[in-house]
Amino acid sequence: MQLDPNLSDIENANLMSAKAPLKRNLTNRHLQMIAIGGSVGSGLFIGSATALNSGGPAALLIAWILVGLMIFATMHALCELTVNFPVSGAFILYNTRFISSPWGFCMAWNYCIQWLICIPLELVAATIAIEYWKCNVTPAVWVTIFYLLIFFINLLGVRSYGESEFVFSLIKIISICGFIILGIVLVCGGGPNGEYIGGRYWHHPGSFSNGAKGVCSVFVPCSFSYLGTELCGMATAEVSNPKTALPKATKQVFWRICLFYIISLTLIGLLVPYNEPKLLLDDFSINSKASPFVLSIENAGLSVLPSLMNFAIMIAAVSVGNSAVFGCSRSIVSLAEQGFAPKIAGYIDREGRPLVAILFCFFIGLLGYLAECRHPISVFKWMSSTNGLACLFTWISICICHLRFRRSLKIHGRGTDELSFTSQCGTLGSWYGILLGIWIIVVQIWTALYPVNGDSKPDVKNFLEKCLTIPVLIVFCIGHLIWKRDFVLFRRAKDLDIDTGRGEVDLTELKREIREAKEYLATRGLWYKIYKFWC
């Protein structure tokens, strides 16, 4: 669309995002399933091995509960913003809109690179999962199969992405629910050996491993397992009815945190001791053989079910790779709309597909063939080092944007009565997300410099592997300041644009609808109110 010379760069970017020709082909059914199981992947199935070994079973619950509450608050903050501003790029654009252009540039590229790297990583993870069955086939064959599968899913459009994620998420949900039932049976002594396990491993070898430092080291693997939760917000410009679909999907996050993460990891802590030798496999971060989900079933003496769980891990890797292409391509479009990437990168065809961005993602995805090199793990460990803290910066930024939006509303003499959805956690939830996120980053720097079981000297190599995100963000910030000559690092609340993207909304009519909905809810019974609050 034609830019208005009378508007600022940020105002033009807001207008372009609001008018982006993406197709609204995702339905409530797709968004619900993406919210419930879309981000359940190798971070939970495999990354929990790292956490269990370094922190112990009690550390698993502490970290996953605290970060889960952070995610819950962050998702509600994001939903409030996306329901009221259903624009392409969503929270990527909000950083520029509500904070500043330099910060928006850093966060946009941070999020884009995070997903770009995930594409080849997940291709390799899916390939390694197949090696569990000892197939005598070169890894390049499996990389090609998964590569083409994800390519055609995304090339067919957002509807194809929604349907595929619906199927993938359904498989993951069934697998986790089945594991929970099986885990309860095994803990209670219903396995082939008939041996009651109970809380044995909480007493010996113990509930904590490596003390306070071990607990601190768990938070980043924990955060990585929640990676992708925010994709619901990224999909807001392609949902047929975001006003109703997004709030419902957001509320499902609570059930996913409780059911998938907390309950399953409680069972993992009961079934697998933190000193299990198989958890110590080299480079287990992308090795399904060291998954505590698989180990817990193998240790029980069951023969077929470990293969079924490994199949779920393979599907999870393909699913995350699929989501990575979706998230990265939409990020690139938003970058182009803000003038942070070449204009051609924002091209969207008549079918609503960001073709140039998708093709660029698959060009980077060719790095998956590094699985054939002599030392592929070393290559991918350095590639993935930029992902260590990337998601935390994204979530902190979402919470800051929410606070800035609320502050701007107040300064302009407007209130939440004009918002069709407000965060159930309010501004306190966003403050919690910011403070916990900053604390996790600080303790990650500490445990990266002085790792668990390391010596008293700083480990620079380990620091770069775990915290490369921080110097990368600094470089991006300095680069933007030099390139754009924009030295406004924090925009004042009175100068924020809180109307573009919702220009067609009649605020008087919207307030009337909100008032009538609240009056209707007041007439219903307690159980209905509880249901509407959580669902």
Side-chain angles (χ1 to χ4, degrees):
M1 61 176 291
Q2 189 68 31
L3 299 181
D4 188 340
N6 298 318
L7 299 178
S8 67
D9 290 343
I10 292 178
E11 290 172 330
N12 270 315
N14 293 341
L15 189 61
M16 288 178 65
S17 296
K19 302 293 185 181
L22 295 168
K23 298 292 185 180
R24 294 187 177 273
N25 288 334
L26 286 179
T27 65
N28 181 51
R29 172 175 62 89
H30 296 136
L31 205 62
Q32 292 287 320
M33 196 59 76
I34 291 172
I36 295 174
S39 64
V40 176
S42 55
L44 174 64
F45 287 126
I46 302 175
S48 54
T50 310
L52 179 60
N53 177 252
S54 61
L60 284 184
L61 297 185
I62 292 172
W64 259 268
I65 289 173
L66 290 178
V67 177
L69 292 174
M70 174 189 179
I71 293 299
F72 184 75
T74 301
M75 284 301 299
H76 273 266
L78 177 59
C79 186
E80 179 177 313
L81 293 171
T82 52
V83 167
N84 292 285
F85 300 97
V87 298
S88 70
F91 53 86
I92 289 181
L93 181 68
Y94 299 154
N95 293 312
T96 301
R97 184 174 197 153
F98 297 118
I99 303 177
S100 70
S101 183
W103 184 250
F105 178 82
C106 291
M107 287 298 98
W109 276 108
N110 171 68
Y111 195 71
C112 182
I113 292 174
Q114 167 188 305
W115 283 123
L116 268 178
I117 293 172
C118 267
I119 299 170
L121 279 175
E122 295 302 329
L123 288 172
V124 174
T127 300
I128 291 177
I130 285 185
E131 292 180 1
Y132 176 86
W133 294 296
K134 299 179 180 179
C135 298
N136 190 22
V137 179
T138 178
V141 173
W142 299 116
V143 170
T144 302
I145 292 172
F146 294 130
Y147 182 93
L148 292 176
L149 173 63
I150 297 174
F151 178 79
F152 284 115
I153 287 174
N154 284 271
L155 200 62
L156 290 174
V158 70
R159 182 71 181 222
S160 174
Y161 166 76
E163 293 293 349
S164 63
E165 279 305 299
F166 182 88
V167 175
F168 291 153
S169 296
L170 187 61
I171 292 173
K172 290 185 284 186
I173 290 170
I174 293 173
S175 299
I176 292 181
C177 290
F179 174 81
I180 289 173
I181 296 171
L182 175 63
I184 294 173
V185 172
L186 294 177
V187 169
C188 295
N193 299 327
E195 185 180 8
Y196 175 75
I197 299 175
R200 177 193 307 168
Y201 298 132
W202 277 66
H203 297 285
H204 180 75
S207 55
F208 291 98
S209 171
N210 300 303
K213 183 179 285 189
V215 175
C216 292
S217 68
V218 170
F219 280 90
V220 168
C222 167
S223 300
F224 184 73
S225 73
Y226 286 109
L227 175 66
T229 306
E230 70 287 338
L231 275 177
C232 287
M234 183 64 71
T236 184
E238 297 170 81
V239 177
S240 57
N241 189 0
K243 187 188 296 187
T244 58
L246 282 171
K248 288 183 179 180
T250 298
K251 292 176 181 180
Q252 303 302 322
V253 172
F254 171 79
W255 303 109
R256 190 184 69 189
I257 291 171
C258 288
L259 180 64
F260 295 164
Y261 292 87
I262 307 304
I263 297 179
S264 63
L265 289 172
T266 298
L267 292 170
I268 286 297
L270 294 172
L271 292 169
V272 182
Y274 70 73
N275 61 353
E276 164 66 51
K278 294 180 181 178
L279 290 176
L280 302 176
L281 284 172
D282 292 336
D283 305 308
F284 56 80
S285 57
I286 57 170
N287 194 330
S288 64
K289 293 181 180 180
S291 167
F293 287 81
V294 175
L295 289 175
S296 61
I297 302 174
E298 285 183 342
N299 292 345
L302 299 171
S303 57
V304 178
L305 292 180
S307 291
L308 293 178
M309 182 54 67
N310 188 70
F311 174 76
I313 293 174
M314 182 190 70
I315 292 296
V318 175
S319 174
V320 174
N322 191 33
S323 296
V325 175
F326 176 83
C328 185
S329 60
R330 274 59 181 179
S331 303
I332 293 173
V333 170
S334 182
L335 282 164
E337 289 170 346
Q338 297 178 70
F340 297 156
K343 187 176 179 180
I344 187 64
Y347 170 73
I348 300 173
D349 69 0
R350 294 179 181 178
E351 299 299 321
R353 298 171 298 189
L355 282 182
V356 174
I358 289 174
L359 291 176
F360 177 71
C361 291
F362 281 103
F363 175 73
I364 300 299
L366 293 173
L367 290 174
Y369 286 100
L370 287 173
E372 284 285 359
C373 72
R374 180 172 297 181
H375 301 291
I377 302 301
S378 298
V379 175
F380 283 101
K381 281 182 69 174
W382 279 101
M383 286 177 58
S384 62
S385 61
T386 56
N387 282 5
L389 299 175
C391 55
L392 286 167
F393 280 101
T394 296
W395 299 333
I396 291 172
S397 274
I398 290 171
C399 292
I400 294 175
C401 289
H402 179 236
L403 294 176
R404 298 293 294 159
F405 171 60
R406 287 288 190 94
R407 175 66 178 164
S408 185
L409 273 178
K410 184 177 180 180
I411 286 180
H412 286 90
R414 296 155 66 174
T416 56
D417 58 336
E418 68 179 54
L419 306 180
S420 55
F421 177 85
T422 56
S423 168
Q424 293 175 343
C425 305
T427 55
L428 287 178
S430 293
W431 276 115
Y432 170 77
I434 293 170
L435 294 176
L436 181 63
I438 292 173
W439 181 81
I440 293 174
I441 291 172
V442 171
V443 299
Q444 172 66 4
I445 293 173
W446 172 49
T447 56
L449 280 173
Y450 302 95
V452 174
N453 298 323
D455 54 30
S456 59
K457 296 181 180 180
D459 190 333
V460 178
K461 180 181 177 182
N462 188 67
F463 171 78
L464 291 176
E465 286 185 356
K466 300 292 179 61
C467 300
L468 190 59
T469 299
I470 296 175
V472 167
L473 286 179
I474 294 173
V475 170
F476 272 122
C477 187
I478 295 174
H480 180 272
L481 294 176
I482 296 173
W483 175 32
K484 292 289 187 178
R485 302 288 180 178
D486 185 347
F487 299 98
V488 179
L489 299 179
F490 203 74
R491 303 181 67 211
R492 300 182 64 181
K494 69 182 183 65
D495 299 326
L496 301 181
D497 177 9
I498 56 174
D499 290 307
T500 303
R502 50 187 300 207
E504 295 83 2
V505 175
D506 184 338
L507 292 181
T508 302
E509 179 66 18
L510 179 61
K511 289 181 180 180
R512 184 188 64 79
E513 292 178 1
I514 296 172
R515 184 176 62 254
E516 290 179 352
K518 290 180 178 179
E519 291 172 353
Y520 173 76
L521 185 62
T523 64
R524 302 302 299 267
L526 177 62
W527 291 111
Y528 182 81
K529 292 177 182 178
I530 294 175
Y531 167 77
K532 292 298 291 183
F533 181 84
W534 291 113
C535 302

